[in-house]
Amino acid sequence: VHSAKDMPAALPDGLEIGGVLPRENPLDAVVLPGGVGRTISTVEDLVARLGQSPSFGTGSVRRIAQLARLFPAARFTPIRGNLDTRLRKLDAGEYDALILAAAGLTRLGFASRVALALPASACVPAPGQGIVAMEIREGDGTLRRAIAPTDDAGARAALEAERALVAALGGGCQTPIGALASPLDAETLELVAVVVALDGSRAVHGHARG
């Protein structure tokens, strides 16, 4: 069982994705110091709140590349440790804000710390973010049938589309690629994607339905 955003675009030989759980909120979240929760409603409010040169705690090249376009003078510093440790560092004043996956905050009981879930128009999330996928032995029909009741068709279709994009672009976990597929109905997906220069100087956006 894996967080799908951390899975390689190509699975090791002999493994396949046997099931995908319903997707949690796929967006990136801004977390502010002092336990401040949902006090910001737009990206413009966030910029006004933090100013032009805030200190962000994040080591994600994808997040840094996109946020650098909103905050050209921001400082980005990697932050390590479990979620409790990261929140303590934030609340101690080591950062002005953290950028974390909203799904992880929700699953660990810290949804109230989300000040703003960044819309995909500002920061396209990582492919597979918010999805938990189950890997099984390739061709293991017995196991596939056993976990079939937990498989979410919409989340699976979204994950397949996002992983296909990464594979087509030759990207990996250290490539600033964002992708978010959303089911519009039982037969249609909408996919938004971005590839960003590491310094945020250029971004190429794509959008498709199919």
Side-chain angles (χ1 to χ4, degrees):
V1 179
H2 292 275
S3 169
K5 78 179 182 67
D6 297 322
M7 295 174 66
L11 296 181
D13 289 342
L15 293 178
E16 64 180 53
I17 296 176
V20 174
L21 300 183
R23 190 172 211 167
E24 185 53 79
N25 184 345
L27 301 178
D28 291 310
V30 179
V31 183
L32 298 177
V36 177
R38 301 180 184 278
T39 58
I40 298 173
S41 56
T42 67
V43 172
E44 292 74 20
D45 290 343
L46 179 67
V47 174
R49 173 74 173 266
L50 295 179
Q52 293 299 312
S53 55
S55 170
F56 286 112
T58 180
S60 163
V61 294
R62 174 191 57 81
R63 290 171 180 153
I64 292 170
Q66 294 186 82
L67 288 171
R69 297 175 64 80
L70 296 173
F71 298 90
R75 290 164 288 127
F76 298 96
T77 306
I79 183 168
R80 306 191 185 282
N82 60 30
L83 183 55
D84 287 328
T85 299
R86 297 183 188 197
L87 292 175
R88 281 199 299 271
K89 291 179 178 180
L90 172 69
D91 293 339
E94 295 185 31
Y95 307 89
D96 293 319
L98 300 184
I99 310 297
L100 302 168
L105 288 160
T106 298
R107 288 177 175 140
L108 292 172
F110 289 96
S112 62
R113 290 298 305 262
V114 176
L116 175 68
L118 290 167
S121 58
C123 190
V124 184
Q129 187 159 297
I131 292 178
V132 172
M134 295 169 281
E135 291 181 26
I136 63 172
R137 292 183 298 273
E138 193 170 15
D140 190 334
T142 300
L143 185 54
R144 188 185 302 111
R145 287 189 294 273
I147 63 178
T150 68
D151 191 44
D152 183 278
R156 174 185 279 275
L159 179 61
E160 289 176 352
E162 293 165 19
R163 286 170 58 79
L165 175 80
V166 175
L169 294 177
C173 61
Q174 290 303 310
T175 307
I177 296 174
L180 178 61
S182 305
L184 297 179
D185 54 44
E187 297 182 351
T188 308
L189 281 176
E190 180 177 57
L191 177 67
V192 295
V194 67
V195 181
V196 194
L198 287 172
D199 62 359
S201 60
R202 183 165 182 248
V204 179
H205 289 83
H207 171 268
R209 292 184 179 184

